[in-house]
Amino acid sequence: MASSSQSPFQDEVQINTIEMHTAGEPLRIITSGFPQLKGTTILDKRKYLKKHFDHYRKLLMFEPRGHFDMYGVVLVTPDVEGADIGAIFMHNEGYSTMCGHAVIALGRYAVDHGFVKNPTSPETRVGIQCPCGLVEAFVEYQPGGSNCDNGRTGAVRFKSVPSFLFAAGLTVDVPGYPVQTVDVSYGGAFYAFVTDSNVGVALKSSPMRAVAEAAHAVSEAVKSKLTISHPDSDDLAFLYGTIITDGKDAFSSNATANVCVFGNRQVDRSPCGSGATARIALQYFKGHIGLGQSRTFESGATGSIFTGKAVQEVTCGQFKAVVVEVGGKAYYTGSNTFSLEREDTLGHGFLVL
């Protein structure tokens, strides 16, 4: 719990947000009241936020304003050509390099709130600069409506950064679990993949906290075993989480289920957009699917759905990679104005594990 007698907040706090969810996973979009972030690039700004203003993340993600599994984004001025907005993602442990569910929500938000000057029908392109690179979202757009009417189906698809299989069949020892091997794949963030049978849980019947603990144990084992690298930046080279799947990786028209656990045992309510991207790359490079073959991913937490497919072969440094397209739906849930009273030390943010 936060109990410091000296507040890290030097000025009056009043922060406005728009609240959305994508396939059940929350997104808190910070619209005003957040400090200016210094830096030339988005990765510089991410570092600056982590070093100087991490207390704002805790204020907005933690209780009493958020919860253990809250997710948020602060918008920044992009620094790459083709981007309409820049996004730095935050969660219960820190800062993501990519977030597909947030991209889906931000695509719709950007169209509805004027970040794209000339929206087009039936789809409007939105360039979103994420810490991992430029991601293109395509938002179903129906002109003539008000904020929450534009794209009222909520449908958005995005094309992510080049994604690749980093390590296949990695042997790991996970104390307390029967895991023998895992795969590690990149979809804007690095994930370990393991089947539910290999960790002794059932995605649709085991308590979600048991699934989260199993995934966290796998993540810790992989971190101790594997040195991760990325051709573009060392800031991208870390294991973000573990995705437990039902093992149905071979191409099928039926849905395949998974649960993504990232950060500090944080459970994604959606099928996980960057996770679906990484899983498509894994399936493609292990020969389970071909270009253009669409898979349906089901969240083991909520039953919500994303679609995904590999659409183009590319390279990423020394890796053979694919561009992956992921689709889902996002909806508005409300708005907030948050404040902090000077004597409220618990209001700085706390988590009950």
Side-chain angles (χ1 to χ4, degrees), residues 68 114 133 135 181 245 284 304 315:
F68 188 83
V135 176
T181 61
T245 80
Y284 182 81
S304 58
T315 58

Side-chain angles (χ1 to χ4, degrees), residues 25-262:
E25 179 70 358
L27 184 68
R28 175 161 290 164
I29 304 170
I30 302 159
T31 59
S32 66
F34 205 84
Q36 285 290 112
L37 302 180
K38 297 180 181 180
T40 303
T41 69
I42 195 168
L43 286 173
D44 291 339
K45 292 172 183 175
R46 180 172 170 266
K47 289 179 184 176
Y48 189 85
L49 170 54
K50 183 176 182 179
K51 182 176 180 179
H52 296 283
F53 294 118
D54 194 54
H55 49 287
Y56 275 86
R57 174 185 65 86
K58 295 174 182 177
L59 181 86
L60 292 166
M61 298 297 101
F62 290 6
E63 296 182 54
R65 298 168 191 84
H67 52 81
F68 188 83
D69 296 302
M70 191 62 197
Y71 203 96
V73 61
V74 58
L75 302 182
V76 298
T77 301
D79 56 81
V80 295
E81 186 176 353
D84 299 292
I85 58 174
I88 298 176
F89 310 115
M90 59 182 68
H91 51 82
N92 72 7
E93 187 182 54
Y95 305 91
S96 316
T97 55
M98 169 59 185
C99 180
H101 95 271
V103 163
I104 290 170
L106 285 174
R108 187 175 177 194
Y109 172 84
V111 173
D112 291 347
H113 291 81
F115 286 87
V116 180
K117 296 188 183 302
N118 297 300
T120 58
S121 179
E123 279 187 327
T124 294
R125 176 200 174 275
V126 182
I128 302 174
Q129 186 187 11
C130 304
C132 64
L134 179 65
V135 176
E136 290 187 304
F138 299 88
V139 182
E140 184 175 288
Y141 175 67
Q142 301 173 10
S146 60
N147 274 356
C148 293
D149 290 328
N150 287 343
R152 55 180 160 266
T153 67
V156 180
R157 61 186 178 93
F158 69 85
K159 292 182 179 179
S160 193
V161 294
S163 302
F164 51 86
L165 178 59
F166 183 79
L170 177 71
T171 301
V172 292
D173 178 24
V174 184
Y177 296 93
V179 181
Q180 294 181 340
T181 61
V182 302
D183 298 316
V184 177
S185 189
Y186 178 78
F190 286 94
Y191 294 96
F193 288 85
V194 63
T195 63
D196 55 356
S197 60
N198 281 341
V199 288
V201 299
L203 286 183
K204 295 188 177 181
S205 60
S206 294
M208 194 51 60
R209 190 47 52 191
V211 175
E213 289 297 336
H216 179 73
V218 172
S219 291
E220 292 302 297
V222 173
K223 288 175 184 178
S224 68
K225 172 84 173 184
L226 181 67
T227 300
I228 290 177
S229 62
H230 191 283
D232 294 341
S233 173
D234 289 341
D235 289 334
L236 306 177
F238 64 95
L239 187 75
Y240 183 41
T242 289
I243 297 177
I244 298 179
T245 80
D246 61 7
K248 298 176 181 177
D249 283 317
F251 177 70
S252 171
S253 59
N254 296 324
T256 175
N258 55 232
V259 170
C260 173
V261 179
F262 61 95

Side-chain angles (χ1 to χ4, degrees), residues 257-333:
N258 55 232
V259 170
C260 173
V261 179
F262 61 95
N264 179 17
R265 300 172 175 84
Q266 187 161 339
V267 177
D268 197 327
R269 273 65 173 159
S270 80
C272 185
S274 57
T277 304
R279 194 172 173 200
I280 284 287
L282 183 156
Q283 291 173 346
Y284 182 81
F285 287 109
K286 294 189 83 170
H288 296 306
I289 62 172
L291 284 178
Q293 290 187 312
S294 182
R295 295 301 315 271
T296 300
F297 297 101
E298 178 186 357
S299 166
T302 63
S304 58
I305 294 295
F306 283 165
T307 58
K309 60 183 176 181
V311 296
Q312 182 185 359
E313 288 186 342
V314 292
T315 58
C316 184
Q318 72 273 30
F319 295 99
K320 293 181 179 180
V322 285
V323 173
V324 176
E325 180 182 294
V326 173
K329 293 184 177 182
Y331 300 96
Y332 295 96
T333 58

